[in-house]
Every structure is written in C-alpha cells, then in structure tokens.
Amino acid sequence: MIEEKKRTTEEPDAAKDETESQADDEREKEKAPRPTYLFLIRHGENAWTERGALAGRTPGVPLNEKGKEQAQQVAERLKDQPITAVYSSPLLRCLQTAQPLAAALDLPVSVEPGILEVDYGEWRGGELKELGKRPEWRLVQVYPGGFRFPGGETLREVQDRVITTLERIRTQHAGEVIAVFAHGDVLRTSMAYYLGTPLDLFQRIQISTASISLVAFHLFGPSILAMNDSGGLPVIKLERED
C-alpha cells in the first residue's frame, strides 16, 4: 500500500512535466517564422555570352533565339511556384528573361538597380580569350577579392551591394517566395556569401545562363536548396500562418 500511494503522488508531477513540455514545443512552433525563399536566376543567352565576351553594363543587349527559349523554359519551370514578386536587373537581357515568368504569374517586373551587372570598366566588351592573356587576369582567378577592374568595381564591392539588396528584398517579403533575375558574377558572389565561402574561391561556383539557384532563409540563417539548376525543381509548399 505504501508503494501504491507513492506512485499516486508521483504521477501528477510526471503528467505536469509532460504537459509543460508539450506547451514549450507549441511555443517554439509559434515563434519560428515561415521561411523566405529567393529564386536567383541568371539571364538567358545572348550574342555576347555566345561568343565569350564581357557585355558588362552595355545597354540594349537582347537575348538571342536560344536565350528567348531559355526564358520560356524558366517560366515553365517556375510558374507553379507560389512566387509573389519578380525583381530584375535594369539591363535588357535580364528584363527579357524575367518577362515570361512575370506574365505567367500576372505580376509586374520590379527593376532593381542594386543587382545590376558588375562594372567591368575598361574590360567591358573584351573577349575573354584575349583578356585571359593579360597579367592581371591571374589576379581575377586567384585573388579576385583584391582586384579592381580598371576603371570599374572590385568584386568585394559587387558582393556588398548585391547582398545588401537581396537582404532588403527578403526582409520586405518575409515569409514569401521571390524571383530575382540577375547576372553571372553577381549571382556567383552572392552564392559564395550565402554558402559561407570566401570571395577568393567564388570562381569555383558555376552559374550558367538561365540557371536557377534557390536559397531559403530560416530563423537562424540561409539554406542552399539548389544551385545552377537547369532541371526540375520541387514546388514549394508554404505552411499556413494562423
């Protein structure tokens, strides 16, 4: 009888602990905000990328026929995603790549100067095979963080302005899914940042024309869900917020 009485007095405490534990779990779920997702898409092919030249900030560079097909493919791949906003670099090749998706989603394209192409300065318009013969080219490969394009930007400056812009966009659209259309080096330096990779190793990251990368932002930081993807993507399922 003594043992039975002891169990009787202990059982309410155990039940209380379990109830408190469940309450703590529920509070943790309530505190965790819904993730924010950024689809980061490079523009489609154009005459400059086709021949291996730095278009840079050259205005009026349109997509070629392959690039137009790629833009339609991007729209087809992303049209079922719960995207609520579309952002693009001001340059024509990005705007043309963004437009089919925006039309499919019945959304406007918001022009964002903060994700403009790198200012390559005097190197703009140069053929990569010719630029590769310059002694400075080695710096771009092994110490890009310490190199300034003659008359242009450093890649560290590029990364700073682009990450500042992307952080502003994802903060403004907390809990949403956003599409951002930009440029190769702009997206490579951004992915290096979100991967926690030193800028001097950003050359290891491949970002092909019309490729899609996906970054999810949780309470404790970013998570890379896809990078340089040209195939199928899982459709994001957003949890309801009560």
Side-chain angles (χ1 to χ4, degrees):
M1 292 296 293
I2 294 175
E3 290 182 359
E4 185 176 345
K5 184 176 181 181
K6 183 179 181 181
R7 284 198 302 270
T8 302
T9 57
E10 288 180 348
E11 283 172 359
D13 290 337
K16 180 181 178 183
D17 291 344
E18 184 177 352
T19 301
E20 290 178 350
S21 177
Q22 290 175 349
D24 289 342
D25 291 342
E26 289 300 320
R27 280 193 292 270
E28 286 299 318
K29 289 179 182 178
E30 291 174 3
K31 290 178 185 177
R34 190 165 68 187
T36 303
Y37 298 87
L38 291 186
F39 281 106
L40 304 177
I41 307 114
R42 186 183 175 187
H43 62 75
E45 186 180 279
N46 56 77
W48 294 69
T49 55
E50 185 179 10
R51 73 170 189 264
L54 284 180
R57 295 183 176 181
T58 302
V61 176
L63 299 177
N64 59 18
E65 288 306 311
K66 180 179 177 181
K68 292 175 183 177
E69 292 176 6
Q70 289 176 323
Q72 293 294 338
Q73 290 167 0
V74 167
E76 186 64 26
R77 294 172 63 201
L78 294 181
K79 67 180 184 180
D80 294 326
Q81 299 287 355
I83 293 169
T84 56
V86 177
Y87 287 84
S88 173
S89 158
L91 293 178
L92 179 61
R93 56 191 184 271
C94 276
L95 292 169
Q96 288 184 327
T97 308
Q99 191 54 51
L101 176 63
L105 298 173
D106 195 24
L107 292 171
V109 177
S110 299
V111 176
E112 177 48 71
I115 52 176
L116 182 62
E117 174 65 293
V118 178
D119 183 356
Y120 293 113
E122 297 170 15
W123 285 23
R124 189 182 81 175
E127 304 281 339
L128 294 177
K129 61 183 179 181
E130 295 301 321
L131 293 172
K133 297 175 184 178
R134 299 190 180 202
E136 305 101 307
W137 185 259
R138 181 164 173 76
L139 272 177
V140 181
Q141 306 306 310
V142 301
Y143 186 32
F147 178 74
R148 180 179 295 280
F149 292 100
E153 291 181 293
T154 68
L155 287 168
R156 191 166 301 284
E157 289 168 344
V158 173
Q159 188 182 64
D160 285 346
R161 71 170 166 83
V162 175
I163 292 301
T164 297
T165 303
L166 293 179
E167 289 295 296
R168 171 170 50 80
I169 288 173
R170 66 108 170 169
T171 300
Q172 288 175 348
H173 296 277
E176 300 178 38
V177 182
I178 310 301
V180 179
F181 290 79
H183 306 269
D185 282 345
V186 164
L187 295 179
R188 288 203 291 166
T189 57
S190 301
M191 293 305 294
Y193 177 86
Y194 288 127
L195 284 165
T197 299
L199 181 59
D200 288 336
L201 298 181
F202 96 108
Q203 296 281 21
R204 297 181 180 184
I205 298 171
Q206 180 69 29
I207 299 292
S208 305
T209 54
S211 67
I212 299 173
S213 300
L214 176 59
V215 185
F217 296 88
H218 302 274
L219 183 62
F220 296 107
S223 176
I224 310 302
L225 302 184
M227 187 163 63
N228 195 39
D229 191 278
S230 298
L233 291 162
V235 177
I236 295 170
K237 302 294 185 182
L238 294 178
E239 295 180 5
R240 291 182 58 185
E241 289 184 332
D242 297 326

